[in-house]
Amino acid sequence: MLKPFLNEALLELVLVLWLGLRVLAVCPSVCSCSRSHREVDCFRRSLRELPDGLQHNILSLNLSHNQLLHLDDRLASYTHLRVLDLSHNRLSRLPRGLIFLN
Ligand SMILES: *[C@@H]1O[C@H](CO)[C@@H](O)[C@H](O)[C@H]1NC(C)=O
């Protein structure tokens, strides 16, 4: 019979998809995320640098009220980013690699 094999294959497929989505859907442990982890709130978390574990396709990132000194190129790979709040930090220069659209 073919049926048990199909069921097993289906189960495996579901498992792989579920694990895959779990890996893709990441939110830095110190931040809170919404909208499938694409809106990230790291407001007032005493951050000195960009938190690890940001999903590559984030849309908005709120880093206000932290102690960031410099970000340099660290935001350049987040090409979907549309809203970025860096207010109330210790930045002395703008991060490189941001494209300003109007
Ligand atoms: C970032 O979060 C703070 C606190 O919730 C809020 O006041 C501020 O408006 C947010 N920034 C943006 C761009 O939404």
Side-chain angles (χ1 to χ4, degrees):
M1 282 285 275
L2 203 60
K3 222 169 172 208
F5 169 77
L6 275 179
N7 279 343
E8 219 170 276
L10 195 66
L11 193 68
E12 253 169 57
L13 183 69
V14 167
L15 205 66
V16 165
L17 281 176
W18 181 75
L19 287 174
L21 289 176
R22 295 257 311 185
V23 168
L24 288 175
V26 279
C27 181
S29 53
V30 293
C31 306
S32 56
C33 299
S34 55
R35 287 196 56 205
S36 306
H37 305 265
R38 297 187 76 186
E39 290 182 353
V40 185
D41 180 8
C42 310
F43 170 81
R44 214 186 291 275
R45 301 296 206 281
S46 307
L47 295 174
R48 290 169 187 275
E49 46 190 79
L50 199 67
D52 287 325
L54 284 169
Q55 211 165 255
H56 74 94
N57 62 350
I58 53 173
L59 295 170
S60 79
L61 179 57
N62 193 335
L63 290 167
S64 62
H65 294 264
N66 282 290
Q67 283 133 46
L68 299 169
L69 283 175
H70 45 73
L71 289 168
D72 292 334
D73 287 331
R74 299 222 39 210
L75 291 172
S77 56
Y78 301 101
T79 53
H80 295 78
L81 196 56
R82 293 296 176 268
V83 179
L84 175 63
D85 193 340
L86 290 174
S87 59
H88 300 275
N89 276 283
R90 299 180 186 169
L91 297 169
S92 53
R93 54 179 186 264
L94 280 175
R96 286 191 297 254
L98 293 179
I99 301 166
F100 296 97
L101 303 169
N102 52 21

